[in-house]
């Protein structure tokens, strides 16, 4: 089973794998997505009939339609439009004699950890009526999806170490008056940590996902908070993780914690400038660990050796 969106792909399939089950990928209006995909993938609706006719001429089997509204879709109505377009393509396939019975609605489902005002339920409230209208249960069409980002959005917690620090004094403040009480506005902090945009933060920065750090140790109630920025370790001037946030006066060696660092973080990281990818440490609850050990001791296959009871990603 494989997708296609051009005549050239059809020609390659006909030459090398003519018994494939083909799925026509259609383009969508993904202008509201954080990472558009239809600029690269998908056939415009007006070209779909021609592609289906060509597939028929080549004796290829087209079994369905797929689409993707872009990674991190922020407008659920895009799914409705794409599902309606898919129904049109199914009609074309029926007219040409194809037995199409698969619809892949792709992914792009934003996890609520990224946008607290955007819930997956909002998407399902739109998708379900559209599917009921265009692909009802008695249509015989199988519906599949690709919710990878949603499933692993909170799979990781990243712990970074402050490796350097720069204090920027306000030029209007009186540094000579040692007796004056320090004010938060008198200085800002620049913290440099051992991971950055060329590592775990690449996609989260490109997609403008707000993921502010928390402290490894909670600040005291009366602790002064300063405006600060957080930077990665590389030589690149664009390697800025957080433009502005408020933290207490931290020191080299202190730790910052970034939660919900699952989807598109360590999987797309690089070793640019010689900085290594973060080490991975698996964490599970004690009851879960004991359950895994019990399964293993009973002779059943279990991944006990793959887990550590405690650990962090650093």
């Amino acid at each position: 089973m494989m997708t296609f969106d051009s005549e050239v792909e059809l020609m390659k399939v006909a030459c090398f794998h003519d018994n494939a089950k083909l799925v026509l990928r259609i383009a969508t209006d993904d202008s509201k997505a954080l990472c558009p995909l239809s600029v690269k993938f998908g056939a415009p609706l007006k070209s779909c009939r021609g592609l289906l006719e060509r597939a028929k001429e080549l004796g290829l089997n087209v079994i369905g339609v797929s689409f993707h509204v872009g990674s991190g879709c922020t407008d659920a109505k895009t799914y409705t439009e794409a599902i309606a377009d898919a129904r049109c393509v199914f009609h074309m396939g029926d007219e040409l004699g194809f037995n199409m019975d698969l619809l892949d609605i792709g992914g792009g489902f934003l996890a609520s950890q990224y946008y607290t005002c955007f819930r997956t339920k909002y998407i399902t409230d739109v998708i379900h009526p559209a599917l009921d209208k265009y692909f009802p249960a008695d249509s015989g069409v199988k519906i599949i999806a690709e919710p990878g980002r949603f499933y692993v959005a909170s799979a990781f917690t990243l712990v970074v170490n402050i490796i350097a620090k720069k204090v920027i004094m306000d030029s209007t403040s009186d540094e000579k008056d040692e007796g004056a009480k320090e004010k938060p506005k008198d200085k800002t902090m620049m913290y440099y940590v051992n991971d950055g945009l060329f590592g775990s933060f690449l996609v989260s920065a490109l997609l403008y996902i707000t993921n502010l750090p928390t402290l490894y140790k909670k600040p005291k109630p009366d602790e002064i908070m300063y405006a600060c920025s957080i930077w990665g370790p590389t030589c690149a001037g664009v390697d800025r993780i957080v433009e502005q946030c408020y933290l207490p006066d931290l020191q080299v060696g202190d730790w910052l914690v970034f939660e919900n660092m699952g989807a598109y973080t360590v999987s797309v990281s690089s070793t640019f400038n010689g900085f290594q990818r973060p080490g991975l440490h698996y964490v599970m609850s004690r009851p879960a660990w004991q359950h895994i050990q019990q399964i293993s001791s009973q002779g059943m296959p279990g991944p006990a050796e793959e887990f550590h009871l405690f650990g962090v990603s650093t």
Side-chain angles (χ1 to χ4, degrees):
M1 188 185 299
M2 61 185 70
T3 61
F4 74 98
D5 62 4
S6 70
E7 184 177 355
V8 172
E9 291 300 296
L10 286 174
M11 296 295 291
K12 289 195 294 184
V13 173
C15 288
F16 300 108
H17 196 51
D18 60 0
N19 64 338
K21 298 177 181 179
L22 293 174
V23 179
L24 174 53
R25 178 163 177 166
I26 62 175
T28 65
D29 176 13
D30 54 7
S31 58
K32 301 293 181 62
L34 298 175
C35 184
L37 294 175
S38 287
V39 293
K40 184 177 182 181
F41 303 107
L45 189 60
K46 62 183 180 181
S47 68
C48 288
R49 180 175 289 276
L51 289 174
L52 291 173
E53 291 174 346
R54 186 63 174 138
K56 194 72 174 180
E57 293 172 3
L58 294 170
L60 299 175
N61 182 22
V62 181
I63 66 164
V65 175
S66 72
F67 63 80
H68 199 300
V69 298
S71 187
C73 176
T74 60
D75 185 2
K77 294 180 181 179
T78 305
Y79 286 95
T80 301
E81 298 171 1
I83 292 171
D85 288 346
R87 180 74 267 178
C88 292
V89 178
F90 267 76
H91 286 315
M92 298 175 192
D94 290 341
E95 293 172 356
L96 293 170
F98 288 112
N99 181 24
M100 298 169 63
D101 60 1
L102 176 70
L103 174 64
D104 179 1
I105 64 173
F109 310 106
L110 268 180
S112 59
Q113 292 93 334
Y114 292 148
Y115 288 91
T116 55
C117 61
F118 192 83
R119 295 288 186 268
T120 302
K121 187 177 184 300
Y122 172 53
I123 294 180
T124 58
D125 286 346
V126 173
I127 290 179
H128 286 172
L131 291 176
D132 290 341
K133 179 179 180 180
Y134 296 107
F135 295 93
D138 59 1
S139 66
V141 175
K142 180 181 179 181
I143 312 295
I144 64 174
E146 307 167 32
R149 166 192 285 277
F150 174 78
Y151 275 127
V152 299
S154 60
F156 285 85
T157 294
L158 178 68
V159 182
V160 297
N161 188 235
I162 296 177
I163 60 174
K165 170 186 176 181
K166 185 187 296 184
V167 179
I168 310 297
M169 298 301 300
D170 185 352
S171 59
T172 62
S173 64
D174 187 2
E175 299 181 47
K176 297 181 180 180
D177 187 1
E178 297 181 358
K181 186 178 180 180
E182 183 181 281
K183 299 178 182 179
K185 66 179 181 179
D186 290 343
K187 61 182 180 181
T188 59
M189 310 291 188
M190 295 177 65
Y191 295 116
Y192 302 80
V193 299
N194 60 339
D195 201 347
L197 263 62
F198 296 90
S200 303
F201 291 94
L202 172 62
V203 174
S204 61
L206 292 177
L207 301 187
Y208 308 105
I209 295 174
T210 302
N211 192 0
L212 297 179
T214 57
L215 296 174
Y216 192 65
K217 293 182 178 179
K218 292 184 179 181
K220 299 176 182 178
D222 58 345
E223 200 161 8
I224 299 175
M225 306 295 280
Y226 298 92
C228 62
S229 55
I230 303 176
W231 302 77
T234 68
C235 66
V238 297
D239 193 2
R240 182 175 61 189
I241 301 168
V242 178
E243 182 175 359
Q244 185 179 47
C245 63
Y246 288 87
L247 295 170
D249 190 354
L250 302 176
Q251 307 303 321
V252 171
D254 286 342
W255 297 86
L256 295 176
V257 179
F258 289 84
E259 298 180 338
N260 304 320
M261 292 290 290
Y264 302 113
T265 53
V266 69
S267 62
V268 294
S269 63
S270 72
T271 56
F272 173 65
N273 252 184
F275 291 95
Q276 297 303 304
R277 296 179 177 88
L280 302 180
H281 304 269
Y282 297 94
V283 181
M284 66 192 311
S285 66
R286 184 175 295 276
W289 171 250
Q290 293 171 342
H291 180 65
I292 292 292
Q293 288 183 315
Q294 182 181 8
I295 293 176
S296 181
S297 64
Q298 292 174 351
M300 301 174 63
E305 68 279 6
E306 298 294 332
F307 293 91
H308 302 283
L309 183 56
F310 302 107
V312 291
S313 299
T314 57

